[in-house]
Amino acid sequence: MLIRFITLVLFLLSIATSSLAQSDPKALIDQLGKADFKQAEELIGQIAATGDPRVVPALNAFAEGDLYARKSDGAVFITKAAGADFTLIDPLSGESAGEAPKGSMVKLRINNNLRRVIRSATGGLTLLSPDRAVRLQAADAVLRSPSAENLELVEAALSKETDGEVRARMQEARAVSILISERPVDQKRAAIETVASLGGRGAISILMSAAPSLDAALKPDVDAAIARIETTQAFWDMGQNVWYGLSLGSVLLLAAIGLAITFGVMGIINMAHGEMVMLGAYSTYVVQEVIRTSAPNLFDWSLAIALPVAFLVTAAVGLVIERGVIRFLYGRPLETLLATWGVSLILQQLVRSIFGPTNQEVGNPSWMSGAFQLGQMQITWNRLWIVAFSLSIFIGLLVLMKRSAFGLQMRAVTQNRRMASSMGIRTPWVDAFTFALGSGIAGIAGVALSQIDNVSPNLGQSYIIDSFMVVVFGGVGNLWGTLVGALSLGVLNKFLEPWTGAVLGKILVLVLIILFIQKRPRGLFALKGRAVEA
């Protein structure tokens, strides 16, 4: 009888000890030292099931390869290199546990599948963090790597969550976790609708990966949800292409709007226009370098400071070019083309000699960095600001041309030089300052382009041909035509690129413009009744 009693007691003690070991996080972590990949995956699930947030650093260390087992007793520690030894850190308390020679420790093996399991586990464990940002990040982690084992943790966190955004993200994480769990069909059907409401390619991937394990009765729901998402995605993809096209068009507008004056209004084929854009970009680089070394706290104002600097520098260079070269070549377009091409080569080599041939670093101010979501479209702040900036430059130039005395004189000289001269207008200086204005606007364009393109001596060459196409397509001498032409060509390029590639797309655009000019030689918006005399 006594023997039976002792046996029963020992049996109960063994069960209690086993149960305690399965719920003790430290014992579970120590078991990782002797586990293979499959066993480690099961142990990670058991560690996460304890709900103890103290295990998060240990799991993160495991994922990063910093978890080691001691050979003598199999105890597992987080380690940090300290010369020839390791500094041992208790995986739960985070306190120092002394040092050990590197040879006495064995690194726990890790693979990508275990890292995915760890991300899911740590995401579930940090859902109850008092820090809102941590909870949101944890919900995102569960959403990206759903796990049926974390479902109860997600639901527990969801029942206590009060923040609207975090709660919505947790509901999405719960839905994707339900799809791979053993929950009833009606819950999975509701989860399919929740995942479908996420939209985007991520939702399609979730549904397609979960589909093989779902009941046959749910397959039509999955197919219908994927079809709806794809239809919506096609709409947003079209919107994204339109946005990319408009942002490209705004860049072309910035590069071409100065050329619309020098070529469209004055009739000068200025092959050095791209170098004015390049000089504006280098002016931005110089301004930022001065600010970095002298007043780094003003860096967010660097572009505002660079704008007038770039305008004055390039306008001065343009004035010198007009007075030194162009004024002798009015009415001789081929000669102006060759002369300004030579000037462009001189300016490129001058910049190479001063700044070197390599790209220069131009930083983005904080207010032009990052992006935001508009529906399923991603809008970058630098592109958005450039679109707004190019439109403001266009409006300012339009007001100058239509409402100012200088604009009136410019149009008078353009339409009838002799009559303007007889009315007392100093036509040579109007020509000079008109060319300087076009060059200055090209410099301002360089400031904006420095935020999205490499600043190098060849920067202007990337835009000169496209700028001429914009001006000719829109209508020579018409600013409204330049605006419509730039935006139209930008959108057309972005819709052709997915089908033809970037290079072939540009060739097709050029061919279409040539065919269009055959029908309308004066462009979209031709100026009527305009006579330009030498």
Side-chain angles (χ1 to χ4, degrees):
M1 188 72 178
L2 179 60
I3 294 174
R4 290 182 179 178
F5 177 75
I6 292 173
T7 303
L8 179 61
V9 169
L10 290 175
F11 176 72
L12 292 174
L13 283 174
S14 66
I15 293 175
T17 303
S18 175
S19 176
L20 180 62
Q22 290 177 354
S23 61
D24 179 16
K26 181 64 171 69
L28 293 170
I29 291 173
D30 286 341
Q31 290 179 40
L32 289 172
K34 299 179 181 179
D36 58 26
F37 289 142
K38 183 63 177 177
Q39 293 169 338
E41 186 175 336
E42 295 174 357
L43 285 169
I44 291 168
Q46 294 176 27
I47 292 169
T50 65
D52 192 335
R54 296 179 301 164
V55 304
V56 172
L59 292 177
N60 288 334
F62 189 17
E64 294 168 5
D66 294 330
L67 212 58
Y68 282 71
R70 191 160 52 195
K71 292 179 180 178
S72 59
D73 58 2
V76 172
F77 298 91
I78 300 172
T79 62
K80 290 185 178 180
D85 296 332
F86 275 137
T87 298
L88 305 182
I89 300 172
D90 186 276
L92 286 182
S93 65
E95 297 177 355
S96 175
E99 295 185 351
K102 291 184 178 180
S104 67
M105 307 295 293
V106 178
K107 182 177 180 178
L108 272 62
R109 295 187 303 158
I110 185 78
N111 61 15
N112 288 335
N113 186 54
L114 283 178
R115 289 189 180 95
R116 181 188 60 78
V117 175
I118 289 171
R119 282 198 303 269
S120 177
T122 55
L125 287 166
T126 50
L127 286 169
L128 295 172
S129 170
D131 188 333
R132 176 190 179 278
V134 172
R135 297 198 308 275
L136 187 60
Q137 185 178 7
D140 282 331
V142 175
L143 186 59
R144 291 193 302 269
S145 302
S147 170
E149 289 79 8
N150 284 332
L151 184 53
E152 292 183 1
L153 283 172
V154 173
E155 291 178 332
L158 185 59
S159 65
K160 299 177 181 179
E161 186 58 58
T162 57
D163 185 277
E165 182 182 2
V166 179
R167 183 176 178 81
R169 199 68 53 83
M170 285 184 179
Q171 288 173 335
E172 294 166 357
R174 174 180 178 272
V176 297
S177 299
I178 285 176
L179 287 179
I180 58 174
S181 71
E182 300 297 328
R183 293 292 177 90
V185 171
D186 58 338
Q187 290 190 25
K188 290 188 176 183
R189 183 170 283 114
I192 290 170
E193 293 302 318
T194 302
V195 173
S197 67
L198 296 176
R201 294 179 177 85
I204 293 176
S205 298
I206 291 170
L207 291 173
M208 292 183 69
S209 61
S213 61
L214 293 175
D215 295 337
L218 293 173
K219 296 296 174 64
D221 298 87
V222 172
D223 293 339
I226 290 176
R228 290 200 308 273
I229 296 171
E230 289 176 340
T231 301
T232 305
Q233 187 65 41
F235 171 80
W236 284 109
D237 285 346
M238 184 179 296
Q240 187 77 68
N241 276 336
V242 170
W243 165 248
Y244 285 152
L246 291 177
S247 62
L248 174 62
S250 68
V251 171
L252 293 178
L253 177 63
L254 277 177
I257 198 168
L259 192 65
I261 297 175
T262 56
F263 176 57
V265 176
M266 299 180 67
I268 297 170
I269 302 176
N270 179 19
M271 295 301 293
H273 181 78
E275 278 54 55
M276 300 298 107
V277 175
M278 178 262 292
L279 290 178
Y282 272 97
S283 298
T284 308
Y285 165 72
V286 171
V287 168
Q288 287 196 350
E289 286 299 298
V290 172
I291 289 176
R292 282 191 179 104
T293 55
S294 304
N297 58 311
L298 293 178
F299 187 81
D300 275 351
W301 294 90
S302 60
L303 294 189
I305 298 170
L307 283 173
V309 171
F311 179 82
L312 293 174
V313 167
T314 52
V317 172
L319 186 64
V320 170
I321 293 173
E322 197 281 337
R323 290 287 84 190
V325 179
I326 300 297
R327 71 187 181 101
F328 302 109
L329 302 174
Y330 284 115
R332 298 153 64 186
L334 181 59
E335 283 86 345
T336 60
L337 185 152
L338 294 174
T340 54
W341 182 54
V343 171
S344 73
L345 297 178
I346 293 171
L347 291 175
Q348 286 183 46
Q349 189 56 47
L350 180 63
V351 168
R352 284 192 184 94
S353 300
I354 297 174
F355 298 102
T358 57
N359 297 340
Q360 301 297 334
E361 179 186 358
V362 175
N364 290 109
S366 60
W367 48 274
M368 286 189 73
S369 302
F372 65 93
Q373 289 292 128
L374 180 63
Q376 294 179 31
M377 292 168 49
Q378 186 179 57
I379 310 294
T380 55
W381 282 109
N382 58 354
R383 291 280 183 174
L384 182 61
W385 280 111
I386 287 175
V387 170
F389 178 68
S390 62
L391 291 177
S392 65
I393 292 296
F394 172 81
I395 293 171
L397 185 59
L398 202 62
V399 171
L400 177 68
M401 295 282 286
K402 301 295 184 181
R403 302 293 182 182
S404 69
F406 176 70
L408 180 63
Q409 292 178 6
M410 187 191 309
R411 287 184 287 126
V413 171
T414 300
Q415 292 178 12
N416 195 317
R417 180 179 296 273
R418 291 178 181 175
M419 181 62 73
S421 180
S422 68
M423 296 294 293
I425 296 175
R426 301 176 64 184
T427 56
W429 284 108
V430 171
D431 291 334
F433 284 112
T434 300
F435 194 88
L437 174 64
S439 300
I441 292 173
I444 291 177
V447 177
L449 293 179
S450 70
Q451 300 299 296
I452 60 173
D453 207 341
N454 295 323
V455 177
S456 70
N458 299 320
L459 171 64
Q461 297 301 307
S462 304
Y463 296 97
I464 184 67
I465 302 301
D466 287 340
S467 298
F468 272 109
M469 284 199 300
V470 166
V471 174
V472 173
F473 175 64
V476 175
N478 192 306
L479 292 182
W480 283 105
T482 303
L483 173 67
V484 175
L487 298 182
S488 300
L489 292 183
V491 172
L492 181 60
N493 263 306
K494 287 303 175 182
F495 273 95
L496 285 176
E497 280 180 9
W499 303 96
T500 63
V503 175
L504 185 56
K506 284 184 176 293
I507 294 174
L508 287 176
V509 169
L510 178 59
V511 171
L512 290 174
I513 289 177
I514 292 173
L515 295 176
F516 176 81
I517 295 301
Q518 295 296 317
K519 294 293 184 181
R520 292 181 64 90
R522 301 178 72 181
L524 280 174
F525 299 93
L527 291 180
K528 297 180 180 179
R530 176 173 173 269
V532 181
E533 300 177 17

